Amino acid sequence: MSVRNREWPVALALAPALILILAPFVWLVVSSFKTEAEIGQADPFTWPADLMWRNYLDAWQIGGFGGLVGNSLINLIGVVLLSLITCAPAGYALAKIRFPGREWLFYAFILGLTVPVQAIVIPLYQVLFGLNLINTLTGIVLVQVSNGIPFGIFLMRSFFIGVPDDLIEAAKIDGASHLQILTKVFLPISTPAVQALVIISALSTWNDFFLPLIVLISPEVQTLPLGLVRFASTYASDYRLVFSGTVISFLPIILLYILMQRRFTEGLTQGAIKG
Amino acid sequence: MVIHQTPGSKVVAPLRDAPAVAGHTGGISARMSERRTTGAASTAGSSAGDARTALWLMAPALALYATFTLLPIAATFWLSFNSSAGFNTSASFVGFDNYAKAAQDPIVWKSLVHTFLWLAYHVVMAGGLGLLLALAVSRLRITQVFFRTAFFLPHLVSLAVVGVIWANIYDPFFGLLNTALTRIGLGAFTQGWLSDPALVLFSVNVASSWQGFGLYMLLFIAGLQNIDRSLYDAAEVDGANAFQKLIYVTLPGLREVTTFVVSLAMINGLKGFATVFVMTNGGPFYQSELITTYIYRLAFQSQNHGLAAVLCILLSLLAITITILFNRWRARLSQ
């Protein structure tokens, strides 16, 4: 089979699809540099006469994007760390230790994997309210970690199950405890699973909207997607602000992905396949 | 070796050996069978000490999970049998009253119909686009990474941000869609994409599907890579053309991934909320109201917790039903 003779026809055929699918990004980036008058001409095929960097400056200040990005980062780091701390030991216990009640726990986690978070939102709000966690980043971190725990545990467990028991026996003879076996033997050889868990929990946290909408009420604690939605509805008629604010919201993650696309792709497919 | 013999384990056991793409929603029976047949995965002999260690290792996860997931699941069930006028008010047992009220509420039925339509749109548009692009992209060698990366970009964007992006694209006067149509001489096709009651659900779903197809494409690409190369060689020896290879080798080889993607797309569709909330908030005239957005409205705006809880139960039952049906289907496929 010759490779070359079908590479370029296929690539050429895909080009229109590529243009259509990426058009929203290109249009927003180009429009975000236009003046209010240029946007008013309603012509998507023209370039701005001058690049209006001012739009970005105004949007950043008026929308308080610095604070939003900061909150989103705290949120993300908290969820990723706490997910690893909770899911790795639990996944290890489910994979490698036999104990009474394991069957029950298994089904309890499957239940949480299946029930959508929107379906438990009323009591969830009440629990958070009772614990004084409404409107706090601590609250959103705990809820998001709990929401991701079934997936994280099954991901770690399915990876750990493949590790030979001989390794455990050998480490036990050396006098290692289960916790030491987990941290010194299992985690170092489980990079793909850890990588998948980090990428999936980071991406879903960074992009989450529903839980922050419930938990984070005042602007000072809000995360990026929630803050952008508030900003875009407040300044709905000020297109240059909405456009540049929207670009601020999607550009960082896209640049990060382009830089690390191999790790992202590996992590996401591994996660979907093994989870 | 300890094998947990459970009724039905024979039925699902073959899944284990299939190169299944098991995941989030679809892999549950695969997981269960794997656990049953590899009972020996756990180190033999459980002692009291091991049980205690296991409990300690599970404790952090369990504490969070019990507080923020299991308790709310149980409480939702309880709420659906009680009347409550909102947060911080006392509730009283009313039996199946809330269920009866839900059955009589026309918006409940509307949101249910819209949710099913929404699922169908998403499976066809996002799943279909994912499959088509995967078939094309996987033929590429030199430019594959470029196209795969580029097509995946929309999936990285938060659905809420996607909502803001597409609300602007659909803007009747300054949005990309209507202005581009006008400029290329197709002004007759301009629409009030989000204000036309007959069009709104579809328009919003295009935004969600634009965000969703990238992951399905990656899964289909992974599935294509798992198809045995020798099958294509054999087909070629038999004189099959490209179309016949697609019909007799590629598509059958993708059956398992396809059931997984369809179930994932259905579950994702069921959870759809952000784009609708941001772009239309269920309007106009409830024409884009989904179960999820109606739950939010009932719980946090009209404070009708009893009715909201009934919808929560309905949503959970739909998710559980879809998951079980697809696991059965997958199990039958791999027999």
Side-chain angles (χ1 to χ4, degrees):
Chain A
M1 281 192 288
S2 62
V3 169
R4 190 161 298 226
N5 68 10
R6 69 178 184 194
E7 173 90 21
W8 299 111
V10 175
L12 213 64
L14 277 174
L18 188 74
I19 292 169
L20 277 180
I21 282 164
L22 296 187
F25 292 129
V26 178
W27 173 70
L28 268 175
V29 171
V30 172
S31 303
S32 70
F33 285 107
K34 290 182 172 178
T35 62
E36 198 66 37
E38 283 170 325
I39 294 170
Q41 289 165 4
D43 186 347
F45 303 116
T46 55
W47 292 90
D50 290 303
L51 295 186
M52 291 287 290
W53 290 101
R54 216 203 130 72
N55 295 346
Y56 281 89
L57 217 66
D58 290 348
W60 184 271
Q61 278 169 354
I62 297 170
F65 279 94
L68 297 175
V69 170
N71 290 337
S72 274
L73 282 175
I74 296 170
N75 184 200
L76 180 149
I77 293 166
V79 169
V80 169
L81 287 181
L82 205 53
S83 295
L84 278 175
I85 292 171
T86 53
C87 294
Y92 173 86
L94 279 180
K96 291 295 180 187
I97 306 177
R98 280 182 47 223
F99 57 94
R102 192 169 75 161
E103 198 105 340
W104 281 99
L105 282 178
F106 201 84
Y107 287 114
F109 286 125
I110 284 181
L111 184 69
L113 197 66
T114 319
V115 172
V117 68
Q118 288 101 336
I120 58 170
V121 65
I122 302 169
L124 192 58
Y125 182 90
Q126 287 167 324
V127 168
L128 285 167
F129 190 85
L131 295 170
N132 265 327
L133 290 172
I134 288 295
N135 213 17
T136 64
L137 284 171
T138 314
I140 190 70
V141 167
L142 293 178
V143 173
Q144 284 168 333
V145 170
S146 175
N147 189 37
I149 270 178
F151 169 72
I153 286 179
F154 287 126
L155 179 72
M156 297 312 286
R157 177 185 160 278
S158 73
F159 199 88
F160 288 159
I161 269 184
V163 180
D165 288 349
D166 303 353
L167 279 177
I168 300 181
E169 298 305 332
K172 267 188 176 167
I173 291 166
D174 291 343
S177 69
H178 275 299
L179 191 63
Q180 284 168 322
I181 298 174
L182 171 67
T183 53
K184 303 241 164 73
V185 182
F186 273 64
L187 282 181
I189 58 172
S190 307
T191 326
V194 172
Q195 186 176 305
L197 183 60
V198 167
I199 284 172
I200 288 172
S201 61
L203 193 63
S204 61
T205 305
W206 184 261
N207 286 342
D208 191 14
F209 178 70
F210 185 75
L211 287 171
L213 176 71
I214 307 298
V215 180
L216 304 175
I217 292 154
S218 43
E220 311 84 67
V221 291
Q222 286 179 349
T223 50
L224 195 49
L226 188 55
L228 174 76
V229 168
R230 181 174 42 78
F231 177 73
S233 65
T234 312
Y235 297 94
S237 55
D238 204 336
Y239 290 95
R240 60 178 197 102
L241 286 184
V242 174
F243 290 166
S244 46
T246 309
V247 174
I248 292 173
S249 305
F250 71 66
L251 208 56
I253 185 89
I254 286 194
L255 292 179
L256 191 70
Y257 171 72
I258 291 172
L259 289 175
M260 305 176 44
Q261 74 85 19
R262 198 186 191 86
R263 266 167 211 265
F264 261 79
T265 310
E266 267 173 26
L268 286 166
T269 32
Q270 274 290 313
I273 289 164
K274 289 241 175 165
Chain B
M1 173 154 179
V2 185
I3 297 175
H4 298 270
Q5 266 302 346
T6 322
S9 69
K10 266 186 196 150
V11 181
V12 281
L15 256 187
R16 207 184 129 237
D17 303 308
V21 179
H24 245 108
T25 53
I28 286 166
S29 76
R31 243 178 251 124
M32 287 198 268
S33 62
E34 171 200 281
R35 182 179 50 97
R36 282 173 191 147
T37 46
T38 55
S42 44
T43 48
S46 68
S47 66
D50 267 357
R52 217 171 20 247
T53 312
L55 201 64
W56 277 113
L57 291 172
M58 304 277 317
L62 265 183
L64 278 178
Y65 187 66
T67 314
F68 297 108
T69 304
L70 289 181
L71 175 66
I73 289 176
T76 303
F77 208 65
W78 180 85
L79 260 178
S80 73
F81 293 105
N82 284 271
S83 88
S84 153
F87 296 104
N88 307 320
T89 57
S90 57
S92 57
F93 184 79
V94 293
F96 281 94
D97 264 20
N98 293 321
Y99 288 84
K101 274 183 196 146
Q104 286 158 7
D105 182 345
I107 302 170
V108 167
W109 292 103
K110 255 188 174 173
S111 68
L112 189 63
V113 170
H114 292 159
T115 299
F116 282 127
L117 274 174
W118 179 267
L119 289 185
Y121 291 154
H122 188 64
V123 170
V124 172
M125 285 198 285
L129 187 61
L131 175 62
L132 287 179
L133 290 178
L135 286 172
V137 166
S138 62
R139 289 172 157 266
L140 301 169
R141 295 288 167 273
I142 307 161
T143 52
Q144 187 181 108
V145 173
F146 167 75
F147 276 104
R148 207 182 55 196
T149 307
F151 283 134
F152 190 69
L153 292 181
H155 191 68
L156 297 158
V157 182
S158 166
L159 278 165
V161 179
V162 168
V164 175
I165 293 176
W166 280 81
N168 283 298
I169 289 176
Y170 288 137
D171 184 291
F173 308 110
F174 304 107
L176 172 62
L177 198 51
N178 278 357
T179 56
L181 284 172
T182 308
R183 286 284 148 175
I184 58 176
L186 296 173
F189 290 94
T190 57
Q191 305 281 342
W193 302 100
L194 298 179
S195 55
D196 183 343
L199 206 58
V200 59
L201 193 70
F202 179 81
S203 300
V204 180
N205 194 276
V206 168
S208 279
S209 295
W210 177 75
Q211 195 265 4
F213 80 90
L215 185 64
Y216 311 142
M217 178 193 70
L218 283 191
L219 293 169
F220 277 124
I221 290 176
L224 285 166
Q225 283 164 352
N226 279 341
I227 296 177
D228 192 350
R229 291 282 116 203
S230 63
L231 291 175
Y232 288 102
D233 298 338
E236 222 155 87
V237 171
D238 291 343
N241 60 29
F243 180 71
Q244 285 168 326
K245 276 189 272 184
L246 176 73
I247 297 295
Y248 295 109
V249 182
T250 309
L251 292 183
L254 283 179
R255 265 198 318 202
E256 203 137 357
V257 185
T258 307
T259 57
F260 175 57
V261 167
V262 171
S263 67
L264 187 64
M266 287 180 82
I267 295 288
N268 282 344
L270 205 57
K271 292 177 181 169
F273 172 83
T275 44
V276 170
F277 182 83
V278 170
M279 293 168 76
T280 66
N281 197 15
F285 316 117
Y286 298 104
Q287 281 306 310
S288 57
E289 192 82 286
L290 302 175
I291 297 178
T292 51
T293 54
Y294 196 36
I295 288 174
Y296 181 84
R297 191 186 308 285
L298 288 170
F300 294 97
Q301 284 162 2
S302 46
Q303 310 274 328
N304 191 343
H305 288 180
L307 193 54
V310 173
L311 280 172
C312 290
I313 302 288
L314 179 66
L315 184 65
S316 308
L317 287 179
L318 285 174
I320 291 168
T321 309
I322 291 172
T323 307
I324 291 175
L325 283 181
F326 273 90
N327 277 306
R328 290 238 175 118
W329 188 14
R330 286 159 57 85
R332 205 179 316 147
L333 269 188
S334 57
Q335 263 177 348

